[in-house]
Amino acid sequence: MIRRLLSAHRFVRFLILATPTATLILGIILTVGITYYIHTLNDEREKIEFNHASQTIVSRSTRSINSTVALLYSTRAHMLANPDITQEEFSLFVQQILIKENYRGVMGVGFSRLYAPSELDQIAPDIQVVPDSPRDEYHVVSLSEPKSLRNEQALGYDKFTEATRRVAMEEARDKGIPVVSQRVMFPEEIGDGEQSGFIIFLPIYETEEVPANITARRESLIGFIFAPVRGNDFFMGAMDLQPPEEVNLQVYTGEKNESTQEIFRWLSERETQPKFQLRRRVEIPGSVWLFDFSSRATISSTSNWWFSPVTLAGGLVIAVSLYRTTRHQVNARIRAEISEMQLSQSKQELEESEQRLKLLVDGAKDYAIIMLDPTGCIVSWNFGAQNMLGHTEEQVIGTSYTLFFNTGDRRRNGLKELQQTIGVGSLDYEREFTRKDGTKIWASGVINALHDSEKRLKGFAIIARDVTSRIETDNELQRSKALNEAILSSLPAHIAVLDPSGNVLDSNKSWGLLMTKVHHQRPSLKAFENNWLDWWRQQITSTDTGIDTIVSGLTRVLKGKKKTFTYEFGFHLEGKEVWFLLQVTALRHIQGGVVVSLVDISGRKNLEKQKDEFLSIASHELKTPITSTKTYGEVLKRIFLRKNDTESVDLLEKMDNQLVKVTSLINDLLDISKIEAGKIRFNKEVFDFDDMVKEVVDLIQLSTEDHKIKMSLDADVNVYADRERIGQAVTNLLTNAIKYSPDAKRVEVMTKVVDGEVQCHVRDFGIGIEKEKQAQLFQRFYRVTGPQLHTFQGLGLGLYITNEIISRSGGKIWLESAPKEGSLFSFSLPTVKTKLEKKVLA
Amino acid sequence: MTQPIRPKVLVVDDDEAISDSLCMLLDFEGFEVFTKQDINFLEEVKKIKPDIILLDIWLSGTDGRELCLKIKCDDDTESIPVILISASRNLAKSMEACRADAFVEKPFEIEVVLKTIRDLIPSKFPQPEK
């Protein structure tokens, strides 16, 4: 079981099993981290304390020195205000200041006056100048208060004679500022031992203002106000006699920490490596002091040094106990999961199946799946329903499903539909619904009534699909069909649609009427329609190729071998001959089949027939008098010949030529009319091409004496064509050649076979034809025009007819010509190649 | 010298002018000319016994091709050559249909008519007059 558990979710299981160890490791890491942090924090705090203590000492010391300087300034002001001050007055002034109380370490305030050697007699007699060696200037302490042994001893002393004091005094004098001296040693007083310290000097000049330059200052100097200060007392005073326990301090005058310059020392007994060290260079009036700070071991005793080890120990204890607890929990959980797994195994399949169902319902985006309670209110609504009707699940849960009905449907049907469903169990429907945005959709689907095992109604399930596009297509189709029917029924044509087997699928009214008319004896129109082709087979009488042509043509279109088939045919209907134009058109886009249309063309056919008859009779009637005229002419010719009247014979021959032209005109007109009507018929036969040409040439040679027709006939092949018509074509080319070369004596006719085709060439040496006019030559009614127009008569039909004959016989006609160089007209025709072919065609 | 025997030609055309002019011309050319278009046509032919017949197709009241067939179907007259003379086209087809021997299209060149006759009855063809 554990193995299964492990293998099922290996990674997750590993994480669970590793949790106790991970907790332990994490606890240790955290503890160490926190301890280290606390330790660092302690150090930081100690450093801040150290810095703070140092800063406090420095600032207090600076403040003390500044207030002492201020004392000197006020003393100088007093002295300047009272230039003849007596010793008693000065003593009183100093007493008021309360030096001992207010200025710790300051031993007193004094005045040393400058005397030139000549002025020594001005010194008070009770003051003895020390030392007494002769010199340029004497600085004699004349006032020194308050009264004390040391201060009394100082009277008369010349400080200028001692190097350290002299440096400070000179600087003060020259700069006009107060100056603190380097370290000086003060003589031992009673009981207090020798002390080091410093003296502050403030120059006093004859004027209240400090003179502008050094020379003036030296000249107007009166003396110095000074204050000797004991270092130890001064700094202890600055620290209110409570120096910090955690800091060592040594103060030096000047820039260097030389022991000879040390003016204050506060050191603990223990010599340990200090944790923090700090050196401060502090500017004081006229000089610099160096403060050397270092921390004492006692600095840590003031902080919570024990906090780090306690944190570490506590953290480790917590980590270990957490490890134990977690391990216990994990073991318990594994046991619980194993049992839970066993428990849930049977549930799982059910859940999975429910899950699948839910996925199916939610995933059915194209299907709305809606559950209703027994009162018709919506209880579930899938994504497909939202898609279809626009409402979200939150919006519709609890509302009646008739919400989506059109107003009319809601009134008429209401919940009737559901009641019906209860009766039958399941109900199909297709109806228009209203979407949330007011648009309409068509939906098709089924409603199922849901019952529980005790046959109590639990609700309804509705499944619906959007069929709007199908309904719209259906409607469009119906509209289109109605339109088509309207168009078809208004057409004069009889139209039917046949399926690929030839059965009538659909037809217009006119087709039905025609079929009824031609088939009234049949019992059922339907039966007839399916056999309509059989019926045609019996009816069609008056065409030469008839029903077989129709059937084969129709079959070819039905089988998709041809796109269309057109055919005209006639038959007898109710005693009259009627003609129809049959058109069969393949339906490419609708699974095969064809459209058959029959148009009554009887009227046109009758007109054509009348025209044909008229032309036929007219030409016959025209030719008859020409024939007799010609024959009478021949008779006359013979009479004149007998009388040797050759002049009359010539005239008669000219007359005869004109009659030949009239005949040819009549024939051309008749041919044109047939060509136009598509009625020209070719009676094809196999004949020897050269023989035919020779006959034509012989006949034409009879009618011309001016031109000699030269033949070179080398074709020696048979062709399958209308001999008479091809002869007519050759005749036309020859008569043209003669007609358009009035000054030439010769016309040439050649035949030969080129590339399996027979070619006939007719060459004349006449007027020729310009290149740009050659293309028009084979058009109807075209004649070569120009200055010679009057010379060449005719309707311009000859070449048109010739071209029609040749091209309808499967041949080709062309021409090479240039003005004044004559013309070469040629045509080609297919030949009969093999004996077998000859035999078959013959 | 005795007068040579003139070959008999029967001209059948209901157009009077053609019939008349053709008769005159053939007479000129040395033929003995007959014109007939009776109802009892065949009897007439048998009576005349022409050497050659020139026959129009479009006759008033009858079709020349039918007359031709009658001639060709009768043992007595079968051998008489018949030339169809007509203004119709497609005479070749008609000729075959009625078993005529030749045809000439109207309006014709008289030389063509004479040549056709000469070809059909070379031995009886009259010599041109000197």
Side-chain angles (χ1 to χ4, degrees):
Chain A
M1 191 55 81
I2 289 171
R3 192 175 296 158
R4 251 184 81 189
L5 197 69
L6 284 174
S7 67
H9 308 284
R10 188 165 290 173
F11 183 64
V12 177
R13 298 295 145 189
F14 169 75
L15 285 184
I16 290 170
L17 290 174
T19 303
T21 317
T23 310
L24 182 64
I25 292 168
L26 202 68
I28 291 169
I29 290 170
L30 268 174
T31 307
V32 170
I34 289 168
T35 309
Y36 176 74
Y37 178 69
I38 288 169
H39 181 72
T40 318
L41 215 59
N42 229 359
D43 276 2
E44 199 63 31
R45 196 180 52 75
E46 282 169 15
K47 191 175 182 185
I48 289 167
E49 276 176 13
F50 171 74
N51 283 348
H52 179 70
S54 311
Q55 182 60 40
T56 309
I57 291 167
V58 168
S59 58
R60 283 184 172 203
S61 303
T62 313
R63 207 160 57 220
S64 293
I65 200 83
N66 284 341
S67 61
T68 309
V69 169
L71 170 66
L72 295 191
Y73 271 110
S74 69
T75 307
R76 187 173 75 171
H78 191 71
M79 293 279 291
L80 283 170
N82 308 287
D84 302 319
I85 192 165
T86 64
Q87 198 170 345
E88 286 73 28
E89 283 168 348
F90 188 76
S91 178
L92 195 65
F93 169 72
V94 173
Q95 275 173 27
Q96 285 166 354
I97 296 166
L98 299 172
I99 285 177
K100 201 169 185 178
E101 290 77 14
N102 293 329
Y103 303 93
R104 289 195 183 268
V106 177
M107 290 185 288
V109 178
F111 173 60
S112 111
R113 183 180 285 272
L114 169 65
Y115 296 98
S118 58
E119 293 170 335
L120 286 174
D121 54 340
Q122 293 175 19
I123 302 170
D126 55 334
I127 293 171
Q128 192 181 352
V129 177
V130 180
D132 56 358
S133 53
R135 46 196 184 264
D136 285 347
E137 53 186 287
Y138 296 83
H139 290 269
V140 181
V141 175
S142 48
L143 294 171
S144 181
E145 292 292 332
K147 291 269 184 292
S148 71
L149 185 61
R150 197 202 155 277
N151 282 346
E152 295 211 351
Q153 279 176 349
L155 285 172
Y157 179 64
D158 186 349
K159 294 179 188 292
F160 210 66
T161 57
E162 197 273 319
T164 307
R165 289 171 176 80
R166 184 178 177 145
V167 168
M169 288 165 84
E170 279 175 349
E171 196 177 352
R173 178 194 65 195
D174 290 349
K175 289 184 178 168
I177 56 165
V179 170
V180 177
S181 72
Q182 300 288 85
R183 186 176 88 148
V184 294
M185 297 305 292
F186 297 117
E188 186 178 356
E189 282 186 62
I190 302 156
D192 60 357
E194 194 184 46
Q195 280 204 17
S196 63
F198 53 91
I199 303 169
I200 309 170
F201 292 96
L202 180 68
I204 178 164
Y205 302 97
E206 288 167 359
T207 53
E208 200 166 326
E209 292 294 317
V210 176
N213 54 55
I214 294 175
T215 320
R217 285 174 200 154
R218 285 184 180 175
E219 278 175 6
S220 67
L221 182 76
I222 295 173
F224 295 95
I225 307 293
F226 66 90
V229 184
R230 277 194 276 207
N232 194 54
D233 292 351
F234 175 81
F235 286 105
M236 289 302 276
M239 293 182 280
D240 280 341
L241 303 178
Q242 289 174 331
E245 286 298 309
E246 61 272 36
V247 174
N248 288 323
L249 173 63
Q250 284 168 288
V251 182
Y252 305 92
T253 59
E255 304 274 2
K256 292 174 183 170
N257 59 337
E258 289 165 359
S259 60
T260 53
Q261 293 299 324
E262 187 182 275
I263 52 170
F264 180 67
R265 169 188 288 244
W266 171 254
L267 292 174
S268 66
E269 294 83 9
R270 278 188 289 173
E271 291 291 326
T272 52
Q273 185 65 28
K275 206 168 188 177
F276 310 109
Q277 280 187 315
L278 182 67
R279 174 167 290 176
R280 290 285 302 275
R281 179 183 177 278
V282 178
E283 297 211 351
I284 52 164
S287 186
V288 167
W289 283 348
L290 207 62
F291 285 70
D292 260 357
F293 293 100
S294 63
S295 63
R296 294 183 183 181
T298 51
I299 193 165
S300 300
S301 67
T302 60
S303 67
N304 304 323
W305 60 269
W306 48 268
F307 205 78
S308 300
V310 167
T311 309
L312 183 66
L316 289 176
V317 168
I318 292 169
V320 169
S321 58
L322 262 177
Y323 164 74
R324 290 173 61 87
T325 315
T326 316
R327 216 177 86 175
H328 182 74
Q329 286 286 326
V330 165
N331 287 341
R333 180 172 168 179
I334 287 170
R335 280 195 298 275
E337 276 189 10
I338 289 167
S339 58
E340 192 190 354
M341 223 169 131
Q342 287 166 332
L343 199 75
S344 67
Q345 210 153 23
S346 56
K347 269 184 174 178
Q348 199 169 340
E349 277 167 29
L350 185 66
E351 273 173 15
E352 276 173 9
S353 124
E354 273 177 9
Q355 193 78 13
R356 276 198 296 274
L357 183 66
K358 189 170 160 45
L359 281 175
L360 185 71
V361 170
D362 286 346
K365 287 176 187 158
D366 293 335
Y367 285 87
I369 300 174
I370 305 165
M371 304 286 281
L372 306 180
D373 66 12
T375 66
C377 288
I378 295 162
V379 292
S380 113
W381 181 258
N382 78 336
F383 186 66
Q386 182 177 333
N387 255 358
M388 193 184 294
L389 292 162
H391 297 270
T392 61
E393 189 168 12
E394 293 78 38
Q395 289 164 342
V396 294
I397 292 291
T399 57
S400 168
Y401 93 113
T402 57
L403 174 66
F404 319 108
F405 281 26
N406 291 342
T407 323
D409 282 340
R410 193 153 45 225
R411 206 172 42 239
R412 277 194 301 278
N413 293 323
L415 296 169
K416 257 187 231 166
E417 199 170 60
L418 294 182
Q419 285 155 11
Q420 279 176 15
T421 311
I422 298 169
V424 294
S426 162
L427 191 71
D428 291 333
Y429 67 91
E430 185 165 291
R431 175 171 333 109
E432 199 177 38
F433 289 99
T434 307
R435 299 181 84 248
K436 190 188 179 189
D437 58 10
T439 54
K440 309 284 183 191
I441 64 157
W442 275 87
S444 164
V446 63
I447 306 177
N448 282 303
L450 307 173
H451 295 92
D452 63 11
S453 54
E454 288 161 25
K455 302 205 170 166
R456 281 180 303 210
L457 181 68
K458 299 303 284 182
F460 302 90
I462 302 179
I463 300 172
R465 192 163 58 94
D466 184 352
V467 293
T468 312
S469 62
R470 197 202 75 208
I471 297 283
E472 279 171 1
T473 310
D474 285 354
N475 290 343
E476 186 55 39
L477 208 63
Q478 273 171 14
R479 270 198 294 280
S480 161
K481 205 174 170 187
L483 185 66
N484 283 345
E485 270 170 12
I487 291 170
L488 287 177
S489 61
S490 66
L491 285 176
H494 314 282
I495 297 170
V497 180
L498 310 186
D499 68 10
S501 350
N503 296 320
V504 176
L505 286 180
D506 200 1
S507 60
N508 69 349
K509 208 181 244 177
S510 163
W511 173 277
L513 287 174
L514 176 71
M515 294 305 147
T516 321
K517 204 188 279 180
V518 299
H519 204 61
H520 52 82
Q521 73 272 34
R522 293 271 175 129
S524 133
L525 185 66
K526 186 80 193 163
F528 155 71
E529 279 182 347
N530 288 336
N531 296 300
W532 66 282
L533 210 56
D534 291 343
W535 176 83
W536 287 120
R537 208 184 285 280
Q538 294 160 17
Q539 297 295 320
I540 295 165
T541 53
S542 57
T543 51
D544 45 3
T545 38
I547 188 68
D548 293 338
T549 313
I550 293 180
V551 172
S552 76
L554 179 65
T555 311
R556 285 171 72 83
V557 181
L558 276 173
K559 287 184 175 173
K561 289 177 182 167
K562 267 177 83 174
K563 284 182 186 171
T564 55
F565 169 67
T566 308
Y567 191 67
E568 289 179 6
F569 64 97
F571 60 91
H572 286 92
L573 180 65
E574 295 171 343
K576 282 191 296 185
E577 186 180 37
V578 289
W579 278 84
F580 279 100
L581 170 65
L582 169 71
Q583 274 186 305
V584 183
T585 310
L587 289 170
R588 285 289 156 94
H589 305 292
I590 317 167
Q591 301 170 346
V594 296
V595 174
V596 176
S597 107
L598 287 166
V599 181
D600 189 339
I601 52 165
S602 304
R604 196 192 87 201
K605 281 285 169 184
N606 282 336
L607 272 177
E608 275 176 13
K609 204 171 168 186
Q610 283 169 14
K611 188 179 132 197
D612 285 350
E613 277 168 8
F614 168 76
L615 276 172
S616 194
I617 291 166
S619 71
H620 188 268
E621 292 306 309
L622 281 168
K623 283 174 183 175
T624 304
I626 291 169
T627 310
S628 52
T629 309
K630 275 171 73 83
T631 315
Y632 280 126
E634 289 293 328
V635 174
L636 263 178
K637 209 163 95 182
R638 278 159 177 75
I639 292 170
F640 287 130
L641 268 175
R642 203 172 274 178
K643 293 176 179 172
N644 285 326
D645 184 351
T646 50
E647 203 177 336
S648 298
V649 171
D650 280 354
L651 289 173
L652 280 172
E653 275 178 1
K654 284 179 183 171
M655 203 172 80
D656 189 60
N657 280 342
Q658 297 309 307
L659 288 172
V660 169
K661 282 181 187 167
V662 174
T663 311
S664 137
L665 287 178
I666 292 166
N667 282 337
D668 282 356
L669 281 173
L670 206 58
D671 285 345
I672 283 294
S673 140
K674 284 182 178 174
I675 287 169
E676 295 296 289
K679 286 247 167 168
I680 190 160
R681 295 242 175 87
F682 291 93
N683 300 306
K684 290 190 174 183
E685 59 183 311
V686 176
F687 62 90
D688 187 292
F689 191 73
D690 287 349
D691 284 357
M692 182 273 301
V693 174
K694 189 169 182 303
E695 266 173 41
V696 171
V697 170
D698 286 348
L699 201 61
I700 289 173
Q701 188 67 72
L702 281 177
S703 65
T704 177
E705 289 175 355
D706 296 337
H707 294 82
K708 175 73 189 152
I709 304 173
K710 190 190 163 204
M711 284 184 282
S712 57
L713 309 179
D714 302 321
D716 192 23
V717 283
N718 285 342
V719 295
Y720 179 65
D722 187 323
R723 192 177 199 272
E724 200 181 332
R725 289 288 179 192
I726 302 297
Q728 187 185 351
V730 178
T731 305
N732 280 347
L733 292 182
L734 270 172
T735 49
N736 269 354
I738 290 164
K739 182 174 165 185
Y740 291 103
S741 62
D743 302 328
K745 294 272 182 270
R746 186 163 54 106
V747 168
E748 292 176 1
V749 178
M750 294 145 281
T751 64
K752 56 184 171 185
V753 173
V754 177
D755 295 336
E757 283 189 329
V758 67
Q759 286 187 354
C760 178
H761 306 277
V762 177
R763 185 193 295 281
D764 69 63
F765 302 91
I767 58 167
I769 304 147
E770 290 163 37
K771 192 92 187 164
E772 52 270 25
K773 289 181 179 170
Q774 291 178 8
Q776 297 163 277
L777 214 55
F778 298 105
Q779 290 174 6
R780 201 165 42 143
F781 306 125
Y782 183 82
R783 282 190 307 158
V784 174
T785 56
Q788 306 97 333
L789 178 64
H790 62 283
T791 323
F792 309 108
Q793 292 161 346
L795 291 175
L797 293 170
L799 281 175
Y800 172 69
I801 293 167
T802 306
N803 185 24
E804 287 293 318
I805 291 169
I806 297 300
S807 56
R808 286 175 193 232
S809 303
K812 211 169 61 181
I813 189 161
W814 68 95
L815 123 102
E816 295 159 42
S817 181
K820 295 179 183 172
E821 286 179 20
S823 307
L824 174 65
F825 281 88
S826 311
F827 69 85
S828 64
L829 283 174
T831 56
V832 178
K833 288 158 211 152
T834 63
K835 276 184 182 173
L836 183 69
E837 223 175 330
K838 278 183 200 173
K839 204 175 168 185
V840 169
L841 292 169
Chain B
M1 261 177 88
T2 53
Q3 191 77 19
I5 300 160
R6 283 152 57 100
K8 290 178 191 168
V9 57
L10 176 61
V11 176
V12 186
D13 196 318
D14 64 347
D15 185 86
E16 230 171 273
I18 292 177
S19 177
D20 180 46
S21 59
L22 199 53
C23 287
M24 283 172 74
L25 191 116
L26 289 171
D27 185 57
F28 253 102
E29 292 295 323
F31 289 88
E32 189 179 351
V33 189
F34 299 85
T35 61
K36 281 292 171 194
Q37 45 177 317
D38 286 355
I39 301 161
N40 296 321
F41 177 69
L42 197 61
E43 297 307 312
E44 288 290 326
V45 172
K46 285 182 181 172
K47 207 153 91 189
I48 296 165
K49 292 190 169 68
D51 294 306
I52 193 157
I53 300 172
L54 303 186
L55 183 58
D56 188 17
I57 290 178
W58 287 17
L59 299 167
S60 55
T62 182
D63 187 322
R65 289 168 291 193
E66 280 177 27
L67 296 182
C68 180
L69 266 178
K70 279 183 185 170
I71 294 163
K72 291 296 177 184
C73 292
D74 193 299
D75 290 346
D76 294 343
T77 56
E78 185 191 20
S79 60
I80 304 170
V82 176
I83 302 173
L84 291 180
I85 297 182
S86 175
S88 313
R89 304 296 283 262
N90 291 323
L91 275 175
K93 214 173 173 183
S94 299
M95 179 187 84
E96 268 176 44
C98 69
R99 295 160 59 187
D101 299 272
F103 66 90
V104 174
E105 196 177 326
K106 283 180 187 174
F108 46 72
E109 297 297 325
I110 197 66
E111 281 79 10
V112 176
V113 179
L114 293 173
K115 182 179 177 290
T116 312
I117 296 172
R118 189 192 295 129
D119 288 349
L120 287 171
I121 45 165
S123 58
K124 292 176 182 171
F125 196 80
Q127 296 299 310
E129 285 181 39
K130 300 275 160 79

